[in-house]
Amino acid sequence: MKRMKMLVYVMVVLLFLGGCSHMSPTEQRTLSGGAIGAGAGAVIGAVAGGSPGIGAAVGGAAGALGGYLLDQYERRGHRF
């Protein structure tokens, strides 16, 4: 059973990574921000005693918005 779960996880990761190959830089930043935000939101939601699912949803939305806004900021020639 553990072996089957591991195989499913590996396949999901490979499909996820392969699906990002033809994305624009804006799409890549938005997706990266969303993934990082969802992960952080799930951890914070679990640690805070709330719902990890709600934390992941809120964090993912905030991260995607942040990634998009960062891309637009840098496209205008601004640098950190």
Side-chain angles (χ1 to χ4, degrees):
M1 187 66 170
K2 286 184 180 182
R3 200 168 193 175
M4 183 60 118
K5 277 186 177 180
M6 184 57 110
L7 180 63
V8 169
Y9 290 142
V10 168
M11 294 300 292
V12 167
V13 169
L14 289 176
L15 288 172
F16 177 75
L17 293 175
C20 298
S21 61
H22 297 292
M23 296 174 76
S24 71
T26 300
E27 292 169 335
Q28 289 176 355
R29 279 214 171 129
T30 303
L31 181 63
S32 296
I36 293 168
V43 169
I44 291 170
V47 169
S51 172
I54 292 174
V58 171
L65 178 63
Y68 176 77
L69 292 175
L70 177 65
D71 181 71
Q72 296 305 307
Y73 181 77
E74 288 187 355
R75 282 181 176 263
R76 292 191 177 115
H78 301 290
R79 300 282 177 211
F80 286 103

